[in-house]
Amino acid sequence: MAMLLLTSAFACLSGIAVSSTIELPECEPPDFPQWGGYGPRQDFYVAGDVIHYYCDTDTYIGGNFYRRCEDTGDWIGDTPVCDQPSRFSVVNQTTTADPDDENDANKAVDALRGTCTSTQEGPGNYWMGILETPGLLFRVMIFLPKVNVAYEVRMIKQNGDEYSCGSKVGFVDHLNWEFHNCPEPNNTDVIGVKIISLNSTPLQLCEVVANTLTFPTCVDPHVRIENGRLQLNRKSASLVCDAGFTRSPANRLECIRTGVWNRKSLYCIERQWEVGSNDP
């Protein structure tokens, strides 16, 4: 475990100068999620330092938002992951408001929050998306315009059954994501998402994002690597080395079954520069 040495000096009443050294445990820069990062970024951290994790746009953090450097030189807890949206293979809606090209069902999955789909007026209208890969649906995120809304989110199972992931009724007074968590145990083997209007007003959706898990899936393997760290997602952990170091021949762990990584020897090798090389 690395230690940071702090030396202080003070004068006694007798006039004799005395110095003391305090050892503070250090933590190396932590592992981090693919499609995300952490801050503050530092070369080293001391016990008590706290970092926060974040994810890129339209991804959602799964796990700890914060971690603290402990007296042991380890980071408390697991490295979180950033879940990317699951892809829809087909989207459709029962009716489309005029003009059709500006309110098409695909506007809800074009990654542009400024464009929105809209049905016509009338009860029972819905928007539906079929997932490219069925899986465990744990969250649906909807970006809404500033309008009155009344809808229910349903997950569609492979056998055709539908189960609710929640609803929203009321006026949306700010542009933001609405989160709908899909409850267990009915959220397995989900093939699609349906958003149903609960009244006669048009159903307007700017973005619809589904987060699913496909198995196997793993969490932080907690592998300490000198002069390097891991970039994680739920299925793999890739080695990233510090400047001046290169990756070992084996440089990636794979999740081989739920909760189990294949164990390989990962390490960072200091680069050997040739005499006369122009490399820095």
Side-chain angles (χ1 to χ4, degrees):
M1 177 177 62
M3 305 290 287
L4 176 65
L5 302 180
L6 297 180
T7 302
S8 60
F10 59 92
C12 295
L13 293 177
S14 61
I16 301 175
V18 179
S19 65
S20 64
T21 299
I22 303 173
E23 294 186 350
L24 296 179
E26 285 185 38
C27 290
E28 297 292 329
D31 296 338
F32 60 97
Q34 188 175 8
W35 309 300
Y38 65 90
R41 303 293 291 267
Q42 299 171 190
D43 292 335
F44 63 87
Y45 302 81
V46 297
D49 283 349
V50 175
I51 58 171
H52 71 275
Y53 286 95
Y54 59 86
C55 291
D56 298 339
T57 303
D58 293 348
T59 59
Y60 191 81
I61 195 165
N64 304 305
F65 281 90
Y66 298 93
R67 297 179 78 191
R68 184 179 66 250
C69 176
E70 296 291 276
D71 292 339
T72 59
D74 296 314
W75 292 97
I76 192 171
D78 295 329
T79 303
V81 294
C82 293
D83 293 308
Q84 282 199 312
S86 302
R87 294 180 179 273
F88 290 102
S89 59
V90 178
V91 297
N92 210 336
Q93 57 193 20
T94 49
T95 63
T96 301
D98 293 327
D100 289 0
D101 59 339
E102 294 182 9
N103 296 289
D104 182 77
N106 286 287
K107 298 294 184 183
V109 292
D110 62 1
L112 299 173
R113 300 178 193 175
T115 63
C116 306
T117 181
S118 177
T119 66
Q120 297 177 4
E121 292 184 350
N125 282 311
Y126 63 82
W127 179 96
M128 183 171 66
I130 301 300
L131 296 165
E132 281 189 359
T133 305
L136 186 153
L137 178 66
F138 61 94
R139 184 186 304 109
V140 176
M141 300 162 52
I142 305 175
F143 198 83
L144 298 166
K146 292 183 178 181
V147 293
N148 279 304
V149 298
Y151 66 79
E152 180 185 12
V153 179
R154 294 184 185 177
M155 47 187 166
I156 307 170
K157 304 265 288 182
Q158 285 185 327
N159 62 6
D161 291 345
E162 297 182 8
Y163 295 91
S164 179
C165 292
S167 60
K168 182 172 179 65
V169 177
F171 182 72
V172 178
D173 59 359
H174 61 285
L175 297 175
N176 211 336
W177 290 101
E178 292 291 334
F179 297 91
H180 299 276
N181 294 320
C182 300
E184 299 176 345
N186 296 318
N187 61 341
T188 58
D189 301 320
V190 174
I191 64 169
V193 173
K194 181 185 287 186
I195 303 172
I196 305 173
S197 176
L198 299 179
N199 59 24
S200 60
T201 60
L203 177 66
Q204 296 176 269
L205 310 168
C206 297
E207 282 298 309
V208 178
V209 170
N211 292 126
T212 61
L213 294 181
T214 56
F215 295 95
T217 180
C218 291
V219 296
D220 191 345
H222 289 279
V223 177
R224 182 178 288 189
I225 300 168
E226 188 174 358
N227 302 307
R229 57 207 50 83
L230 295 176
Q231 182 186 61
L232 303 172
N233 59 48
R234 293 186 187 270
K235 295 185 179 296
S236 66
S238 299
L239 176 60
V240 178
C241 293
D242 295 342
F245 292 82
T246 189
R247 301 192 300 176
S248 55
N251 51 58
R252 181 184 176 97
L253 301 180
E254 300 287 346
C255 181
I256 54 176
R257 63 179 184 272
T258 297
V260 179
W261 297 93
N262 63 344
R263 289 293 177 177
K264 296 181 180 179
S265 178
L266 307 185
Y267 52 91
C268 293
I269 311 164
E270 188 171 8
R271 291 177 182 166
Q272 302 296 320
W273 305 109
E274 296 181 3
V275 176
S277 171
N278 293 324
D279 292 331

